[in-house]
Amino acid sequence: MKIAVAIPSYKVQNHVLDVIARMPPQVQRIYVIDDKCPNGSGELVRQQCNDPRVRVIFHEQNQGVGGAVRTGYQAALDEGMDIVVKVDGDGQMDPVLIPRFTRAIERGRADYTKGNRFYRPESLQGMPPVRLFGNAVLSFMAKLSTGYWANMDPTNGYTAIHTHVLRQLPLHKLEQRYFFETDMLYRLNTLRAVVHDADGRGVRRRAIESAGVEGAARIPVEAHQPLRAPLRLRLPAARLQHRQSVQPDGGCCCYWVVACSVWANGYTATCRASRPPAAR
């Protein structure tokens, strides 16, 4: 299968070249979408990156992370790719882990895979308790709105999708901003697509290492654990003849997620501001 990677690029000029350099050989195309970056991330890649797999796409207006990913998805469809992986350009998602995300799709066991930061307890080291609680609440509300109860980290942005399913999604209706991932799950559920967790222990490698957690650099990227079975019995869309689905016009089911996110972020900021300087 032909694998492509979409990298939203906005103020990531300090990391994006390193992200591209770490792409595994299985990746055949890399789309860097400059989302009207004021720091010229896309131009930096075009001038300094010699990888022939890279194609830089420029937005005339800022469209948000969801809009940038949509552009990458459409480019992959136009070029006949089979799997599209979304990797952020800020270095928090290790591209070496891409085979973990594509393996289930290549074997016909899933249509869409998402990273799971909670796959192993050690992955939570260094995460503040308030943030952990906020993530748990946000994840629960995302599960409630999307119907994917077996997905342990629904707000995770490290994803891979089969283009057979991607062609059936209304890309022009997808949320453009920060709730793009939740809207994706909501619409995938209307197609009864199979979503699996991927072991994402290295997803936050840069953040964990910067926090000084011992052993973070020794996380094995080759290890692969069996994917967890979905809560409901579903067959991968690649093996089915899809029925026409009525696509909803908006992301109304995501409003609860928005409210919880605003509350979690505000509460986190308040707690941090109330800490004495020595505790920060």
Side-chain angles (χ1 to χ4, degrees):
M1 287 187 171
K2 294 183 289 185
I3 301 173
V5 173
I7 305 177
S9 181
Y10 187 80
K11 295 184 178 181
V12 293
Q13 68 279 358
N14 294 331
H15 307 294
V16 65
L17 291 176
D18 179 63
V19 171
I20 295 173
R22 294 178 59 81
M23 288 292 168
Q26 297 96 321
V27 175
Q28 298 185 24
R29 175 64 81 180
I30 303 170
Y31 303 105
V32 177
I33 302 93
D34 185 306
D35 194 28
K36 196 62 176 178
C37 175
N39 299 333
S41 300
E43 189 63 31
L44 175 71
V45 173
R46 189 170 65 174
Q47 293 181 2
Q48 299 189 21
C49 182
N50 298 320
D51 193 326
R53 301 174 295 175
V54 174
R55 174 186 168 191
V56 182
I57 304 173
F58 293 90
H59 280 174
E60 295 183 359
Q61 294 181 344
N62 180 269
Q63 300 182 27
V65 62
V69 177
R70 292 190 321 185
T71 298
Y73 281 167
Q74 189 59 57
L77 291 175
D78 294 340
E79 294 192 2
M81 296 292 123
D82 297 307
I83 300 175
V84 190
V85 184
K86 181 255 187 181
V87 177
D88 286 342
D90 58 4
Q92 291 195 36
M93 301 175 181
D94 194 344
V96 177
L97 303 178
I98 286 177
R100 293 185 185 176
F101 289 77
T102 61
R103 187 177 290 114
I105 299 176
E106 291 172 320
R107 293 177 179 177
R109 296 169 56 191
D111 304 308
Y112 187 69
T113 56
K114 289 180 68 67
N116 183 2
R117 292 167 292 182
F118 312 120
Y119 212 96
R120 292 289 181 271
E122 59 267 22
S123 301
L124 304 180
Q125 296 181 21
M127 183 179 292
V130 173
R131 182 174 182 179
L132 183 60
F133 175 75
N135 280 334
V137 173
L138 184 58
S139 295
F140 174 77
M141 299 306 300
K143 292 178 182 183
L144 185 64
S145 65
T146 64
Y148 285 105
W149 291 95
N151 184 247
M152 297 302 296
D153 195 6
T155 60
N156 194 295
Y158 202 162
T159 65
I161 188 170
H162 197 299
T163 54
H164 181 82
V165 177
L166 192 58
R167 290 188 184 94
Q168 302 181 58
L169 292 175
L171 295 182
H172 65 286
K173 293 182 179 180
L174 290 175
E175 168 64 36
Q176 290 189 341
R177 300 294 171 175
Y178 293 103
F179 295 95
F180 169 78
E181 288 83 7
T182 306
D183 196 24
M184 275 288 294
L185 286 175
Y186 171 62
R187 296 182 185 278
L188 285 169
N189 196 26
T190 67
L191 299 176
R192 297 190 61 80
V194 177
V195 177
H196 274 177
D197 281 353
D199 188 349
R201 284 178 288 174
V203 169
R204 294 186 58 81
R205 175 185 300 252
R206 184 182 300 275
I208 293 173
E209 289 179 353
S210 64
V213 178
E214 292 187 17
R218 297 193 295 273
I219 297 176
V221 295
E222 298 85 1
H224 173 73
Q225 299 295 331
L227 293 169
R228 299 178 181 180
L231 183 63
R232 291 182 287 179
L233 178 61
R234 304 180 182 183
L235 294 177
R239 298 180 182 177
L240 296 176
Q241 292 182 348
H242 280 287
R243 295 172 293 179
Q244 293 294 329
S245 301
V246 177
Q247 296 294 342
D249 290 330
C252 59
C253 291
C254 298
Y255 290 151
W256 277 107
V257 178
V258 175
C260 284
S261 177
V262 171
W263 172 84
N265 290 335
Y267 186 61
T268 301
T270 302
C271 291
R272 287 179 177 175
S274 63
R275 293 178 184 176
R280 293 182 183 176

